[in-house]
Amino acid sequence: MRRSCGQSCPRSCGQSCRWGGTGGRWGSPRSSEAESGGGTRRTPAEQPTPGYVQRHRTHLHPGAWWLWALSLGTAATRTTNPLLLTLLITVSAYVVATRRPHAPWSRSYGAFVKLALAVLLIRLAFAVLLGSPIPGTHVLVHLPEVPLPDWAQGIRLGGKVTAEALTFALYDALRLAALLICVGAANALANPSRLLKSLPGALYELGVAVVVALTFAPNLVADVQRLRAARRLRGRHDKGVRGLLQVGLPVLEGALERSVALAAAMDARGYGRTADVPPAVRRTTAALTLGGLLGVCAGTYGLLTAEGGTYGLPVLLAGVAAALAGLWLGGRRTLRTRYRPDPWDARAWLVTASGVAVAALLTLAASRDPAALHPGVVPLVAPTLPLWPAAAVLIGLLPAFVTPAPEASHTRKEPTT
């Protein structure tokens, strides 16, 4: 039997009404004041739901997390000091440990850490087996050298392994590992679906492709963990190469099923459909976007070269302005609305500013004191921790204190007998 509460309810259903009526969702039945006709009652459109208010209190804009993480990654590229790089990794790991939500896509941080360790080990292995152009006098071991033909000059297999070459490889690999860990922190903290909602209309289709690519690793990790847990419950082997090969086929099957479901959902939501825009507007949009991107490339090149110091910044600013104008015009072709958009509040500004401050201060330190941020390996010296760059890195801990803690996971416990 279908019934309605008699008020301005968005739907009628066979259950109790959400907005009012007997057995309403928000507590007791109708108040006596509402039944007697007195008082003012808010309509469903005017009354904010508790879930919406709570979501804005506990969630940060996903773009702020990405800007914070990318800024830390930019700071990692400005130094090869292993102490500063380790401090950057520690800062990102602490923020992830305290502010990572309880969601399947947030479990990918461990996979990025393992990938960073693999990069570190592979780089050291290449330095041992293939040698290094860094000269050194502290020989650790002398491996048998394999003779190579004349066309392979410059490549060496085996030979002496020096401490200077290994130290240089360690510094270089640690910088790349820190960058990967910062990207993993962004994947663990930012909700990809909410990030897609925040993109402008002109970048929606491109954003869908990027979000699908970014969620590939978290979904893959979640599928592997789920299948390994299922194999352990059945008493089967789940470790080593054999266990990984037996898990690979179900993971591939799950990825294909998820792709088909995603394609059906995108088609049902009108993905790729555009509005009717005059040809002049389309040509203007294309010209502004293409010209803006070319201006950004030319301005960036001018800033990186000594000859382009006079025109680099004006060309870069003009390119950014043209690209933004093109994106604004291109957004008119996409018929999209946002349901409960994420606001960019003061907390998002603080999180973004903390990351940008770390990147800016380490860039300044690299230009003022390059020896402290790039310790030498020839001659081999022990790295030291510069004080004010280390204090600048600690600014990246600000999100752990200004953002709200994640919601506790509600796991239902089975009754015990």
Side-chain angles (χ1 to χ4, degrees):
M1 178 178 179
R2 301 174 61 89
R3 63 187 178 88
S4 175
C5 63
Q7 301 180 9
S8 56
C9 183
R11 62 184 177 90
S12 13
C13 58
Q15 302 177 357
S16 58
C17 180
R18 177 179 178 181
W19 304 104
T22 305
R25 179 176 176 177
W26 304 118
S28 60
R30 303 178 188 177
S31 61
S32 58
E33 190 178 37
E35 289 181 354
S36 59
T40 303
R41 187 180 184 88
R42 300 179 67 176
T43 62
E46 298 173 350
Q47 184 173 1
T49 60
Y52 178 61
V53 177
Q54 183 69 18
R55 184 175 70 89
H56 282 287
R57 291 177 181 175
T58 58
H59 288 162
L60 187 71
H61 197 284
W65 284 125
W66 269 102
L67 291 176
W68 171 81
L70 292 178
S71 299
L72 291 188
T74 303
T77 62
R78 308 309 300 172
T79 179
T80 56
N81 191 318
L83 301 179
L84 286 177
L85 291 174
T86 305
L87 187 60
L88 273 170
I89 293 174
T90 305
V91 166
S92 65
Y94 180 79
V95 175
V96 170
T98 55
R99 291 298 179 262
R100 178 172 58 179
H102 303 281
W105 47 264
S106 65
R107 302 172 187 170
S108 61
Y109 184 74
F112 278 92
V113 173
K114 294 178 182 178
L115 179 61
L117 291 176
V119 167
L120 192 64
L121 295 177
I122 291 173
R123 181 67 177 87
L124 292 176
F126 281 173
V128 171
L129 298 177
L130 302 179
S132 175
I134 302 299
T137 57
H138 300 80
V139 180
L140 300 178
V141 64
H142 197 93
L143 299 177
E145 188 170 355
V146 179
L148 296 176
D150 296 336
W151 55 267
Q153 291 182 358
I155 302 176
R156 179 175 60 86
L157 292 179
K160 62 179 182 180
V161 180
T162 62
E164 289 84 357
L166 282 182
T167 304
F168 177 79
L170 177 63
Y171 291 174
D172 192 41
L174 190 59
R175 178 167 55 180
L176 181 57
L179 182 59
L180 289 174
I181 289 176
C182 290
V183 175
N187 277 276
L189 292 170
N191 190 335
S193 60
R194 290 172 49 225
L195 179 63
L196 178 62
K197 289 172 55 178
S198 304
L199 290 177
L203 296 178
Y204 177 70
E205 297 180 0
L206 178 62
V208 170
V210 173
V211 168
V212 170
L214 290 177
T215 54
F216 172 75
N219 290 330
L220 183 65
V221 172
D223 287 346
V224 171
Q225 292 178 348
R226 175 177 55 83
L227 291 171
R228 291 183 63 184
R231 291 181 62 84
R232 283 195 299 269
L233 290 175
R234 293 178 175 88
R236 298 178 182 177
H237 188 73
D238 67 309
K239 296 182 179 179
V241 179
R242 179 184 176 185
L244 184 61
L245 292 177
Q246 293 179 353
V247 167
L249 185 59
V251 169
L252 179 61
E253 181 182 359
L256 292 176
E257 292 179 355
R258 189 164 51 248
S259 300
V260 173
L262 178 62
M266 291 168 63
D267 183 69
R269 288 165 174 80
Y271 177 78
R273 300 173 186 173
T274 57
D276 293 332
V277 178
V281 176
R282 289 200 300 267
R283 287 192 292 268
T284 305
T285 302
L288 286 174
T289 305
L290 183 58
L293 293 179
L294 291 176
V296 169
C297 295
T300 304
Y301 176 77
L303 291 177
L304 295 178
T305 57
E307 295 80 5
T310 56
Y311 68 86
L313 185 59
V315 172
L316 178 62
L317 294 178
V320 170
L324 291 178
L327 292 178
W328 178 75
L329 286 177
R332 300 171 60 183
R333 299 180 60 235
T334 305
L335 299 177
R336 288 186 62 244
T337 58
R338 290 184 177 90
Y339 178 67
R340 293 178 178 176
D342 294 310
W344 189 278
D345 53 7
R347 298 175 304 173
W349 283 113
L350 288 174
V351 170
T352 305
S354 65
V356 172
V358 174
L361 291 175
L362 258 69
T363 302
L364 179 63
S367 61
R368 293 290 183 86
D369 191 7
L373 269 69
H374 299 277
V377 295
V378 180
L380 190 61
V381 295
T384 59
L385 182 64
L387 293 182
W388 75 268
V393 172
L394 294 178
I395 299 177
L397 289 173
L398 186 63
F401 303 99
V402 300
T403 57
E407 299 177 358
S409 59
H410 301 285
T411 57
R412 196 174 75 178
K413 298 182 178 180
E414 298 292 337
T416 58
T417 56

